Amino acid sequence: MKVGIVEIAARAGVSEATVSRVINRRQGVARKTREAVERVMAELGYERPVQGQLVAVVTEHVSNPFFADVAERIESALAPHGLKTVICPSFPGGVQEREFITSIVDKGIAAVVFLSASNTVEGADPETYEILRARHIPYVGINGEFADGVPVPVFSTDDALAAELAVDHLYQLGHRTIGMASGPKGNRPADRRVRGFIEAMAKRGVEEPERWVSRQSYTLEGGQAAANVLLQLGVTAIVAASDYMALGAIRGIRRQGGSVPDDISVVGYDGSMITEFVDPPLTTVRQPGDRLALEVGRSVLALVSNRDVPTGELLFDPELVIRATTGPAPGAGSRGYRQRHSDRTQT
């Protein structure tokens, strides 16, 4: 027998109008009443209608091709089932993120996807999550677990493996002085990539591998600044924590008179399509954006239909894509990049 609002209202001892507000996650219902209705819906196996409802995708990185691609893939996964996605560009963990959620929470919002948003920031304000939980609006994360300790689905690329793939590739090319251009401290993906890099270097006998890490912003300028630091240390290769940082590092190397990959090899991270068409095409560790988006779509559809889904973090393997920004380390007979650069600046 198909369960409807009438049956739920009778079992919960409330009006049909109250059930309707709960189903559509609208305001005007006391918390205890909302929880009682939600409990009855679960007991009776009621699945919410989703036609026309919104799924908010919260992300800072709208201009980054990788995140734009993932958001588009999430839209493609949900649209056939009647859900519509809206992009909420906001600074992770900031006031704007909370304001976005509070402003659309009464517009028929069905779920929220935090796409490398506040779920990536240590010490982020949990108020946004509290608002969603109070309204029984499910949320999931991509590339970062939530700080509030509430078990929710999270889908992430294995950052430790990504670092190992990049370091191993460069090591096989003969590089021994490898640096890392990473994002700021307190950003979970950046911290994980740094830990993975340090572990990969230590495994290969490098002492004090943390000294080869430069922490900057996830921007072209951040990558350039990191390259400036790492070149002074005498690196022959740079592992970047994003493709944008990698492109910034290449710019920094060139502005100091170096060549990629003849003097310095560079590996990016994300794997957006545009990296195939830069000059030279960028070697990168590609995140599986298609698989991440597919699993997010499946999870959101289950959650909004009132079905249980596995919680905790699910890790996805990245893939090394070798192109033209990596090559053999300068030969033992070479005086090295720093000496050649010094010659150029003195003449």
Side-chain angles (χ1 to χ4, degrees):
M1 183 181 73
K2 186 176 181 180
V3 178
I5 290 178
V6 175
E7 290 80 12
I8 296 171
R11 175 75 71 88
V14 298
S15 68
E16 294 175 22
T18 297
V19 174
S20 177
R21 284 195 291 271
V22 172
I23 288 174
N24 292 293
R25 299 186 172 98
R26 299 189 182 278
Q27 63 184 2
V29 181
R31 183 164 188 163
K32 287 186 178 180
T33 303
R34 185 182 298 276
E35 290 175 350
V37 174
E38 292 278 357
R39 188 163 52 251
V40 169
M41 289 166 58
E43 291 172 355
L44 296 178
Y46 179 81
E47 294 190 1
R48 281 184 166 90
V50 299
Q51 188 67 39
Q53 289 195 307
L54 303 177
V55 173
V57 178
V58 182
T59 184
E60 176 191 13
H61 311 279
V62 178
S63 62
N64 186 312
F66 170 75
F67 293 96
D69 179 62
V70 172
E72 185 175 325
R73 290 176 183 274
I74 292 172
E75 161 72 22
S76 297
L78 296 177
H81 302 275
L83 289 164
K84 304 179 185 298
T85 59
V86 291
I87 304 298
C88 302
S90 65
F91 187 77
V95 174
Q96 189 180 20
E97 185 176 278
R98 185 175 67 250
E99 290 180 345
F100 259 122
I101 297 303
T102 55
S103 65
I104 65 175
V105 76
D106 283 319
K107 307 298 183 183
I109 185 171
V112 178
V113 178
F114 291 92
L115 174 53
S116 293
S118 57
N119 57 308
T120 66
V121 180
E122 292 288 349
D125 187 348
E127 185 178 350
T128 301
Y129 315 138
E130 293 168 359
I131 293 170
L132 295 173
R133 289 198 301 273
R135 302 290 288 274
H136 289 266
I137 298 174
Y139 56 95
V140 303
I142 298 178
N143 283 343
E145 293 183 282
F146 295 90
D148 58 356
V150 176
V152 298
V154 176
F155 306 94
S156 303
T157 301
D158 190 334
D159 291 309
L161 177 57
E164 167 63 27
L165 289 172
V167 170
D168 182 66
H169 170 59
L170 293 169
Y171 214 80
Q172 290 189 41
L173 288 171
H175 295 276
R176 296 298 181 265
T177 51
I178 304 170
M180 182 173 203
S182 188
K185 290 183 178 179
N187 177 281
R188 287 192 180 87
D191 292 343
R192 288 179 173 184
R193 289 164 202 168
V194 167
R195 286 196 297 270
F197 173 80
I198 290 173
E199 289 171 2
M201 295 285 280
K203 186 169 69 174
R204 290 165 174 82
V206 177
E207 296 182 358
E208 300 182 65
E210 58 275 2
R211 70 185 290 263
W212 300 99
V213 177
S214 178
R215 307 290 292 254
Q216 304 288 341
S217 62
Y218 272 122
T219 60
L220 290 166
E221 291 74 18
Q224 181 175 341
N228 292 340
V229 172
L230 296 171
L231 290 176
Q232 293 303 311
L233 295 177
V235 301
T236 64
I238 294 175
V239 175
S242 76
D243 288 339
Y244 271 19
M245 294 193 79
L247 296 177
I250 292 171
R251 183 170 68 181
I253 292 164
R254 287 172 171 169
R255 287 187 177 179
Q256 292 201 33
S259 173
V260 176
D262 294 337
D263 294 313
I264 310 291
S265 289
V266 178
V267 180
Y269 183 80
D270 281 340
S272 55
M273 186 178 67
I274 193 66
T275 57
E276 185 178 350
F277 301 99
V278 298
D279 184 24
L282 182 66
T283 295
T284 187
V285 179
R286 176 188 291 154
Q287 294 198 61
D290 53 347
R291 303 203 309 276
L292 284 167
L294 180 62
E295 290 302 319
V296 167
R298 288 173 176 169
S299 180
V300 167
L301 284 170
L303 288 168
V304 299
S305 298
N306 222 35
R307 299 196 300 270
D308 290 333
V309 299
T311 59
E313 188 171 30
L314 184 64
L315 294 179
F316 291 73
D317 285 357
E319 172 192 10
L320 177 68
V321 181
I322 301 173
R323 297 197 183 106
T325 57
T326 51
S334 170
R335 290 178 298 163
Y337 166 76
R338 292 185 70 186
Q339 183 60 51
R340 293 196 302 277
H341 175 62
S342 176
D343 292 346
R344 291 190 190 106
T345 57
Q346 290 175 15
T347 57

